[in-house]
Amino acid sequence: MRFEFTDEQLQIEEMVRSLAQNEFAPRAAAIDAESRYPEENMRQLAELGLLGMLFPAEYGGSDAGPVSYGIVVREVAGGCAATVVGMAVTNMVGEAIYRFGTVEQRRKYLPALAAGKGAGGFGLTEPSAGSDAFAIATTAVPDGDSYVLNGSKAFITNGSRACVTIVMAVTRREPKKEISAFLVEPGLPGFSVGKPEHKMGLRGSDTVSLSFDDCRVPKENMLGAPGEGFRIAMSTLDGGRIGISFQAIGIARAALAEAIAYARDRKQFDRPIADFQAIQWMIADAATELDAAQLLAFRAAALKETGKPFTREASMAKVFASEAGNRACHKAVQILGGYGYTRDYPVERHLRDVKVSTIYEGTSEIQRVVIARELLR
Amino acid sequence: MVFELTEEQRMIQEMARNFAQKEVLPKAAELDETGRFPDELVRQMGELGFMGVAIPEEYGGAGMDNVCYAIAMEEIARACAATAVIMSVNNSLACDPILKFGTEEQKKKYLVPLASGKKLGCFGLTEPGAGSDAGSQKTTAVRQGDQYIVNGTKNFITNAPQADFCVLFTMTDKEKKHKGITAFIIDMKWPGITVGKHEKKLGINASGTASLIFEDVKVPAANRLGNEGDGFKIAMHTLDGGRIGIASQALGIARASLEDALAYGKDRKQFGQPIVNFQAIQWMLADMATEIDAARLLTYRAAWLKDRKARHSKESSMAKLYASEAAMRASVKGIQIHGGYGYIKEYPAERHFRDAKITEIYEGTSEIQRLVISSALIKD
């Protein structure tokens, strides 16, 4: 048991906190209001090596490890949540290509991802395959030296910004359904990007549908072996869930800090509202739950870092952190009262931004299925 | 961030688990039903070093760390919450303040027998009129030469009927309010001390809870713990540690609720299949397990900070608040999963529910924990 960061982790925390607070936070309201992709933030993240944190330097990465990565996600989320989701998916895609890709695939894509030449996309979800991810209908049929892809993907983060998207498609239906993963580049004939979704929160992040209409993808672009796609997807999401946990924690910590500052300052009945137990209780509960969430998330990250199984722990972290994050943001809006409901303060944005964390990369319901399954083993 | 237990921590976990499952668990229902104080278990725990886990060996303890203490507490509470609180009070509320604030003579005379389990300790802070407002002490200690004369009444004192020694809080200077509180080590055999009525409780029935009445009790000045006026500080420091013990107790109760519900749910068939196949049941189990893990991490963090002699008031309060409320929720779900069987005494689910409730109350109610946490955050 050691509940402290290493010196290197402390340095990363300080560096990223200062970037997020001094650069990202002041831009966040405009990025949200204009639904503008945070290009300048992405550039800064790339310059600091924060887009390739989960693969080694020989491919342009910084290989900082899951715990440092968690710290970075938390801090960036505290500045601008729309920025962190693009960053997180890019890191996740880079890690998957490193883990499952050939040396050629790594060389081709990883330096570009790390340098921010394009984002990474992860194409699993479809209009009719959300929680039931195995039900995807996109097909990939071998034809000569290519696979021909047909189908569509929904809610794909970074979809129109990606220099490479991992696309899951069915390569065999009988006797047993098999899914394979493909590395798809923009501009391929038959590959098109749909309209951006109008979202409740994370409005600066890029979320689109993708369509494949007889799109030919070279065979060497298969990631992993034929039929390995679903395993790659699930394994990638285990790590992704740790990222979403830290994202929810970072957003909620920003909301709580705002609420505490406001409560100290705001006077009603001739004293700061922080003097009232009604307000103190909300602050105490939010802080306790966020500390618990962080410990769950760091535990999952530490297990991942040491190469141990972490599926159950990642699901626990994800369901707990996303739900605690939502509760904390609700409380923050409540503490700010009418002001919390306006765009003059950031807490209504935090509430909109944090909401999706109970939904994407596995809903709370899917996390509970995973946890219960592990308990019942 | 390292979340693995050390060799020593794994060792005590295994030892405590074996002892708790073999010796304590089979007696838990009977202890609850009869309210009998488990003398034999307390003696065995003393032999195993559980009555002074984090007390150095030179003072009669096991010489382990506070994470070990939390681990051992959880295992004992998993089997019997009443036995666990006897252990917790002795470790956290009797041994720990003497170790931290006692003189060398006091340690030799009182800590060694307490930590080795040869004697039992209690903690006299609460009074009929001083619960959450612990600073409003009415018990007085008046100096006369080289002794103090103590008068007053203490309430809800765990281990009071069986204790040999008591860490007692008194008012020596009413004008100074909580800065006029002074602590003493009391030998319960001294004249003038009466153990009042034993409380009948909702749960933790096998632990003794009684009032203590002090009538002109002569206490040697050498038995003063710390200086005059140090008492409130000693009490608060002591409770910071005690809350780690109660958080661990709550964890043990929560785990008992989960493990019993899991076993029942796998076995129980309705609609032609085990009820754990239904998402309604799975959701409850998943939430219990997640909250238990969160509570355990908060508890270990507080214990780890205490081991490093770092500030841990806020963290202990978070652990105690979260673990006790998680235990309450888990025990409610545990009964629900058992259905009608959860409501009857043939199954332990209802005992867990009754035992869990006290963890939200003693050693600082949930409300006091929230005060501690919010004031740390707002003042920061």
Side-chain angles (χ1 to χ4, degrees):
Chain A
M1 286 283 154
R2 216 182 56 225
F3 291 91
E4 62 187 352
F5 295 145
T6 62
D7 287 343
E8 188 192 320
Q9 288 162 350
L10 286 170
Q11 280 166 16
I12 291 176
E13 180 184 40
E14 196 186 315
M15 171 185 89
V16 180
R17 181 175 294 168
S18 120
L19 172 72
Q21 292 307 312
N22 300 329
E23 307 276 336
F24 298 172
R27 295 172 195 147
I31 286 167
D32 175 67
E34 298 158 18
S35 297
R36 180 170 69 71
Y37 185 77
E39 215 134 7
E40 68 277 45
N41 294 353
M42 291 302 169
R43 208 164 39 241
Q44 284 178 298
L45 289 170
E47 282 162 10
L48 291 170
L50 302 176
L51 294 178
M53 291 187 69
L54 301 173
F55 53 84
E58 59 174 312
Y59 299 109
S62 54
D63 209 9
V67 173
S68 291
Y69 175 65
I71 294 170
V72 170
V73 170
R74 183 191 75 187
E75 293 305 322
V76 172
C80 176
T83 300
V84 84
V85 63
M87 172 196 138
V89 176
T90 297
N91 270 287
M92 182 175 89
V93 166
E95 186 189 18
I97 294 173
Y98 175 70
R99 282 180 61 203
F100 302 104
T102 62
V103 171
E104 289 71 40
Q105 290 170 338
R106 292 173 180 176
R107 283 197 187 127
K108 188 166 180 194
Y109 298 111
L110 296 183
L113 287 172
K117 293 196 173 123
F122 185 74
L124 173 64
T125 298
E126 297 185 359
S128 298
S131 289
D132 186 6
F134 196 69
I136 61 168
T138 297
T139 55
V141 178
D143 181 34
D145 56 3
S146 300
Y147 277 89
V148 179
L149 268 63
N150 276 290
S152 62
K153 296 286 171 184
F155 300 137
I156 305 305
T157 301
N158 290 343
S160 76
R161 301 273 170 173
C163 62
V164 58
T165 298
I166 301 175
V167 175
M168 303 297 166
V170 179
T171 42
R172 194 167 77 172
R173 204 159 276 289
E174 297 295 339
K176 198 165 151 265
K177 184 171 180 177
E178 266 184 15
I179 292 169
S180 303
F182 297 89
L183 298 169
V184 177
E185 293 174 39
L188 283 180
F191 172 29
S192 57
V193 171
K195 278 204 313 270
E197 299 289 349
H198 283 295
K199 305 190 298 295
M200 170 179 169
L202 300 182
R203 295 184 58 83
S205 84
D206 172 37
T207 312
V208 294
S209 59
L210 306 177
S211 302
F212 301 94
D213 185 11
D214 287 334
C215 172
R216 300 186 77 87
V217 177
K219 274 189 170 164
E220 68 258 27
N221 277 33
M222 183 181 281
L223 182 66
E228 242 194 337
F230 197 70
R231 188 178 73 82
I232 291 173
M234 290 304 111
S235 163
T236 302
L237 285 176
D238 277 348
R241 284 163 188 170
I242 302 174
I244 303 303
S245 306
F246 282 110
Q247 184 186 325
I249 290 162
I251 296 169
R253 273 163 53 109
L256 177 62
E258 190 73 29
I260 291 173
Y262 182 88
R264 282 191 194 125
D265 197 48
R266 168 77 171 170
K267 286 204 175 67
Q268 289 289 278
F269 307 100
D270 296 326
R271 48 188 171 149
I273 61 169
D275 284 357
F276 294 105
Q277 291 191 337
I279 305 298
Q280 291 167 1
W281 266 215
M282 289 194 266
I283 290 170
D285 284 340
T288 301
E289 290 187 11
L290 291 179
D291 272 22
Q294 285 207 72
L295 291 168
L296 287 169
F298 279 122
R299 177 180 67 166
L303 283 171
K304 182 170 184 239
E305 194 149 307
T306 49
K308 301 215 169 65
F310 62 96
T311 299
R312 160 176 146 158
E313 289 79 5
S315 284
M316 283 184 166
K318 205 272 192 183
V319 67
F320 190 95
S322 61
E323 296 190 351
N326 268 274
R327 287 191 291 272
C329 290
H330 266 281
K331 290 187 177 100
V333 171
Q334 190 67 19
I335 290 171
L336 270 76
Y339 294 98
Y341 199 70
T342 70
R343 301 224 165 166
D344 293 344
Y345 287 88
V347 290
E348 64 83 29
R349 185 181 80 243
H350 296 323
L351 178 59
R352 289 186 287 107
D353 286 344
V354 82
K355 179 57 230 172
V356 75
S357 58
T358 60
I359 299 171
Y360 63 10
E361 300 201 20
T363 60
S364 286
E365 290 64 42
I366 287 297
Q367 307 311 325
R368 289 189 171 92
V369 166
V370 172
I371 297 162
R373 188 199 302 141
E374 299 267 326
L375 281 174
L376 292 168
R377 261 179 196 208
Chain B
M1 289 279 168
V2 176
F3 291 86
E4 276 160 9
L5 299 182
T6 64
E7 197 60 47
E8 182 181 76
Q9 289 160 355
R10 270 201 300 274
M11 196 192 78
I12 195 168
Q13 184 174 54
E14 199 186 315
M15 187 169 88
R17 190 169 292 172
N18 283 340
F19 170 71
Q21 296 299 310
K22 278 224 290 278
E23 305 290 334
V24 185
L25 187 61
K27 293 180 176 165
E30 177 253 322
L31 289 172
D32 174 61
E33 194 63 28
T34 61
R36 175 179 73 78
F37 184 82
D39 276 308
E40 76 284 15
L41 296 178
V42 174
R43 197 180 55 247
Q44 284 174 289
M45 291 197 296
E47 285 159 8
L48 290 169
F50 292 176
M51 297 307 275
V53 177
I55 304 299
E57 290 176 52
E58 58 173 315
Y59 297 121
M64 294 181 168
D65 61 22
N66 281 284
V67 175
C68 287
Y69 168 53
I71 288 169
M73 269 297 299
E74 177 185 331
E75 295 303 327
I76 302 299
R78 161 64 186 91
C80 174
T83 303
V85 73
I86 299 166
M87 169 181 161
S88 180
V89 166
N90 197 73
N91 274 272
S92 289
L93 304 189
C95 290
D96 194 58
I98 300 175
L99 176 69
K100 168 110 178 152
F101 300 101
T103 63
E104 203 51 40
E105 292 76 57
Q106 289 171 341
K107 288 180 196 175
K108 285 197 179 108
K109 193 167 175 187
Y110 297 108
L111 182 54
V112 170
L114 284 170
S116 58
K118 294 189 177 67
K119 300 285 183 188
L120 188 68
C122 69
F123 183 75
L125 176 65
T126 297
E127 297 184 358
S132 289
D133 183 8
S136 65
Q137 295 281 309
K138 291 266 192 316
T139 298
T140 55
V142 179
R143 178 122 196 186
Q144 278 186 3
D146 61 357
Q147 62 184 16
Y148 288 82
I149 308 299
V150 172
N151 278 287
T153 300
K154 294 290 169 180
N155 208 20
F156 297 143
I157 307 305
T158 303
N159 290 353
Q162 297 83 19
D164 301 287
F165 306 130
C166 176
V167 174
L168 181 73
F169 296 86
T170 66
M171 190 62 89
T172 45
D173 189 345
K174 205 176 157 198
E175 297 298 302
K176 290 186 180 161
K177 296 184 175 165
H178 68 273
K179 286 186 175 150
I181 294 173
T182 302
F184 295 93
I185 305 169
I186 302 288
D187 188 322
M188 298 288 281
K189 287 202 295 290
W190 287 339
I193 303 174
T194 314
V195 176
K197 86 169 167 34
H198 296 209
E199 302 290 350
K200 288 190 179 152
K201 308 190 295 291
L202 173 69
I204 54 165
N205 283 328
S207 81
T209 310
S211 58
L212 286 175
I213 300 119
F214 296 83
E215 288 170 295
D216 292 332
V217 178
K218 296 189 179 78
V219 179
N223 277 51
R224 195 183 63 219
L225 190 59
N227 293 316
E228 277 194 19
D230 281 351
F232 194 74
K233 187 186 75 185
I234 293 172
M236 292 304 112
H237 171 87
T238 301
L239 288 172
D240 282 346
R243 285 160 189 169
I244 297 169
I246 302 307
S248 310
Q249 184 198 18
L251 257 176
I253 299 169
R255 219 182 85 207
S257 299
L258 171 62
E259 290 174 2
D260 291 343
L262 197 54
Y264 179 86
K266 283 179 180 170
D267 196 48
R268 170 76 172 170
K269 288 203 174 69
Q270 289 289 279
F271 306 102
Q273 50 184 320
I275 61 170
V276 291
N277 286 1
F278 297 105
Q279 290 194 337
I281 305 298
Q282 290 172 4
W283 264 217
M284 288 195 262
L285 294 170
D287 286 343
M288 289 159 93
T290 302
E291 292 189 13
I292 287 169
D293 276 20
R296 187 179 293 114
L297 291 167
L298 287 169
T299 305
Y300 286 174
R301 178 181 66 166
W304 180 84
L305 286 169
K306 181 168 164 66
D307 281 326
R308 293 173 47 107
K309 308 205 180 329
R311 285 190 57 186
H312 60 282
S313 290
K314 183 182 78 176
E315 290 78 6
S316 286
S317 285
M318 284 181 165
K320 201 272 190 184
L321 171 67
Y322 190 80
S324 62
E325 297 195 346
M328 201 67 240
R329 288 190 291 271
S331 68
V332 171
K333 292 190 180 97
I335 292 180
Q336 194 66 21
I337 291 171
H338 283 75
Y341 294 98
Y343 200 69
I344 62 173
K345 303 222 170 192
E346 273 169 54
Y347 287 86
E350 63 84 32
R351 184 179 84 238
H352 303 326
F353 171 83
R354 288 184 291 106
D355 288 344
K357 183 60 218 175
I358 189 59
T359 63
E360 296 180 321
I361 299 172
Y362 60 14
E363 300 201 27
T365 59
S366 286
E367 290 64 41
I368 289 297
Q369 309 311 328
R370 288 189 171 92
L371 268 185
V372 172
I373 297 161
S374 62
S375 61
L377 290 164
I378 290 164
K379 279 173 195 153
D380 252 9

